[in-house]
Amino acid sequence: MTDPSKTDANNDKVTHFGYQQVPWREKQQKVAGVFRSVAGRYDVMNDLISMGSHRLLKRMTIELAGVRPGQRVLDLAGGTGDLAIKFSRLVGDTGEVVLADINDAMLAVGRDRLIDAGCGHNTRVAQVNGECLPFADNSFDCVTIAFGLRNITDKDAALASMLRVLKPGGRLLVLEFSKPVNPLLGKAYDTYSFAVWPRLGKLVVNDAESYQYLAESIRMHPDQDTLKAMMDKAGYGRTEYFNMIGGIVALHRGFKL
């Protein structure tokens, strides 16, 4: 699947927000509104809509990240800090984890969780735009982005920015919804996500629209091979991906060579 961004008759660049076409410059604000709406119960909803599987997927991401004591990790679009807490314990007192997100409401929840988990000594939070990261070149051993890349307007710019801040030999891990490899599984997943997620959103956070957007945004995200090709084009080496839950989710990994 290719990014459907295009130019309209007025030469005003547009992109997708779920199934809607919106001005390129407006998507970031619309996505921010989604996450401000759900930030307070984000983890509860993740458990409900994934039936708890997101925790296993994140654990596999951590294992494949190969983070060691003393390293620096950037957890981009890190939300409520699930990965950052685990990485904090892996890097130890001599390492550092930066929990970064563009959304202030999500960062506030994540910062509180880091403190509650006793991770304040080797972590910090930063409100950043993934398309233009405000960090020095070659400053992180590992960059992760879990269920966040599909919400970024300019994915190519984000991949390039993440590569820039990685140290030589460093790795990027992208955990994201993808395309089921079995058509029957795909149909069942479509039915479940479009019929159930908005209803859960209405019941739990009084917001069906945000979870309708979630279901739609997944279908607009590049599939496994397309995202791998985007990483190759951005300059990553040894790129690969691992299908999870039959391809409903995929973990992509690439290195700065």
Side-chain angles (χ1 to χ4, degrees):
M1 181 187 299
T2 57
D3 190 325
S5 300
K6 58 184 181 180
T7 302
D8 66 15
N10 296 319
N11 293 319
D12 187 16
K13 202 171 184 181
V14 297
T15 189
H16 58 82
F17 175 74
Y19 288 163
Q20 301 176 47
Q21 290 291 318
V22 299
W24 183 273
R25 62 186 179 275
E26 291 183 10
K27 179 174 178 177
Q28 190 178 106
Q29 293 180 341
K30 288 182 174 292
V31 171
V34 167
F35 284 94
R36 287 195 187 98
S37 174
V38 304
R41 309 211 71 185
Y42 182 76
D43 290 329
V44 173
M45 281 298 298
N46 276 353
D47 281 332
L48 289 172
I49 67 175
S50 74
M51 294 178 281
S53 64
H54 76 101
R55 298 181 183 275
L56 176 61
L57 300 175
K58 290 173 182 175
R59 188 178 307 137
M60 295 173 68
T61 302
I62 291 165
E63 291 176 357
L64 285 169
V67 170
R68 301 186 300 276
Q71 293 191 330
R72 295 191 76 225
V73 178
L74 172 62
D75 181 23
L76 186 60
T80 56
D82 284 351
L83 291 179
I85 290 170
K86 301 292 193 302
F87 284 135
S88 169
R89 291 162 183 163
L90 290 173
V91 302
D93 293 339
T94 58
E96 183 184 46
V97 178
V98 178
L99 171 62
D101 204 294
I102 197 170
N103 189 278
D104 55 347
M106 294 293 287
L107 269 182
V109 175
R111 181 184 61 242
D112 290 345
R113 288 196 65 205
L114 287 173
I115 294 171
D116 291 344
C119 300
H121 64 294
N122 65 352
T123 63
R124 62 187 176 97
V125 300
Q127 187 171 4
V128 306
N129 183 338
E131 297 173 11
C132 48
L133 296 172
F135 305 112
D137 295 357
N138 308 315
S139 54
F140 291 98
D141 298 282
C142 181
V143 176
T144 58
I145 179 167
F147 304 113
L149 184 62
R150 74 180 185 284
N151 295 313
I152 293 178
T153 306
D154 192 337
K155 296 173 181 60
D156 291 320
L159 290 170
S161 191
M162 288 183 261
L163 182 66
R164 179 186 63 78
V165 302
L166 276 172
K167 297 178 182 179
R171 55 274 183 209
L172 167 68
L173 290 100
V174 181
L175 181 66
E176 188 54 89
F177 293 105
S178 200
K179 182 178 180 180
V181 295
N182 184 297
L184 292 178
L185 175 62
K187 289 180 180 178
Y189 177 55
D190 284 347
T191 299
Y192 171 68
S193 54
F194 280 101
V196 176
W197 291 0
R199 293 181 183 179
L200 282 174
K202 179 65 175 177
L203 287 171
V204 178
V205 294
N206 196 30
D207 185 352
E209 290 79 10
S210 290
Y211 288 90
Q212 179 72 26
Y213 161 74
L214 170 60
E216 293 176 1
S217 70
I218 291 168
R219 276 71 189 179
M220 302 306 293
H221 185 67
D223 64 19
Q224 291 92 323
D225 290 321
T226 302
L227 180 53
K228 182 181 182 298
M230 291 170 66
M231 292 174 66
D232 290 337
K233 183 179 178 181
Y236 293 89
R238 292 161 51 196
T239 57
E240 58 187 338
Y241 64 81
F242 308 88
N243 280 323
M244 303 174 177
I245 321 178
I248 288 175
V249 174
L251 175 62
H252 284 70
R253 181 170 64 177
F255 292 82
K256 184 172 183 176
L257 302 180

